[in-house]
């Protein structure tokens, strides 16, 4: 059962008061140390690490996660070990350390794959692919994106499918594989529409417009940008002015 300090920390976290949540989780961690409960300490440190990461207190977050990992290895909790490795990987990714992030993600995959955590694995492979791209490893990145798509389909993760298709489409665009980019970005657009995620739809359509412009297909690019500007206006998106100017320039040309 969570301590009173942990429960209060959760309330502050949901309210967006990260400083208060941090104080509560620090108290919960100290209480767990005094109690001598490895499980309670692992939970409290994990929460403290998460809030520290959100506050960009990266050194404290890493120290928390590493201590959690040590406890979890002792308790032999494979699922919890996998989650903490993911947290460490994401922390390193946020700090611009793709090689270390990549290593943590690979180790997390080793733990989570036998457990059948397909939803988590889909997200994890997408994260791994992004680090491969940072390391200029385009082929392994593409393979990881495809693995992510397989897991997203398996569990019916529409949001994961939309986002990953978008990331893969962007990758193909940068590599100059325009037909594959078009197919992925059309898929991303369809999934974002199905989700009712108009911001995501606009993002995919902006990239799709780039694909069509590369192929000198001005009419298709215009269609994409007209829809983007319509979305910008309806939802008051901050990209409106840039998109409007881009559309105007394309019409003039």
């Amino acid at each position: 059962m969570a301590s009173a300090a942990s429960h209060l920390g959760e309330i502050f976290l949901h309210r967006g008061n990260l400083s208060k949540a941090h104080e509560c989780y620090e108290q919960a961690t100290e209480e767990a140390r005094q109690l001598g409960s490895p499980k309670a300490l692992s939970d409290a440190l994990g929460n403290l690490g998460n809030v520290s990461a959100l506050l960009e207190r990266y050194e404290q977050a890493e120290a928390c996660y590493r201590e959690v990992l040590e406890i979890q290895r002792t308790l032999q909790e494979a699922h919890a070990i996998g989650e903490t490795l993911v947290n460490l990987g994401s922390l390193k990714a946020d700090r611009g350390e793709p090689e270390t992030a990549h290593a943590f993600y690979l180790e997390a995959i080793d733990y989570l794959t036998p457990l059948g955590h397909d939803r988590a694995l889909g997200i994890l492979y997408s994260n791994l692919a992004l680090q491969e791209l940072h390391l200029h490893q385009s082929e392994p990145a593409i393979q990881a994106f495809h693995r992510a798509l397989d897991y997203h389909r398996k569990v019916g993760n529409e949001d994961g499918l939309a986002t990953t298709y978008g990331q893969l489409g962007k990758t193909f665009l940068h590599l100059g594989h325009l037909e594959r980019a078009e197919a992925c970005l059309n898929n991303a657009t369809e999934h974002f529409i199905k989700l009712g995620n108009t911001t995501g739809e606009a993002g995919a359509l902006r990239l799709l417009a780039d694909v069509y412009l590369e192929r000198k297909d001005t009419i298709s690019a215009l269609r994409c940008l007209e829809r983007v500007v319509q979305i910008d206006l309806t939802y008051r998106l901050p990209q409106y002015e840039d998109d409007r100017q881009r559309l105007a320039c394309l019409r003039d040309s």
Side-chain angles (χ1 to χ4, degrees), residues 178-189:
L178 300 181
E179 286 188 10
R180 297 172 80 181
E182 180 187 9
C184 287
L185 292 167
N186 273 321
N187 272 323
T189 304

Side-chain angles (χ1 to χ4, degrees), residues 30-99:
E30 188 55 39
E31 289 173 359
R33 289 193 196 283
Q34 292 172 5
L35 187 64
S37 167
K39 182 69 171 69
L41 181 57
S42 173
D43 291 345
L45 279 167
N47 289 328
L48 181 58
N50 292 341
V51 175
S52 297
L54 290 171
L55 288 167
E56 298 184 3
R57 300 179 186 180
Y58 295 123
E59 289 183 8
Q60 183 181 21
E62 182 172 351
C64 289
Y65 289 147
R66 287 190 180 276
E67 188 174 351
V68 168
L69 198 57
E70 189 177 331
I71 295 168
Q72 289 167 344
R73 290 193 197 280
T74 303
L75 296 174
Q76 297 184 327
E77 295 182 337
H79 172 69
I81 291 170
E83 284 189 347
T84 303
L85 288 166
V86 171
N87 287 338
L88 279 163
S90 298
L91 191 68
K92 292 298 183 180
D94 288 343
R95 297 194 73 175
E97 300 175 33
E99 288 186 6

Side-chain angles (χ1 to χ4, degrees), residues 173 176 178 207-218 221:
L173 172 60
L178 300 181
L207 290 169
L208 201 51
D210 291 337
V211 171
Y212 290 131
L213 288 172
E214 284 288 322
R215 290 168 54 176
K216 312 299 182 187
D217 184 350
T218 306

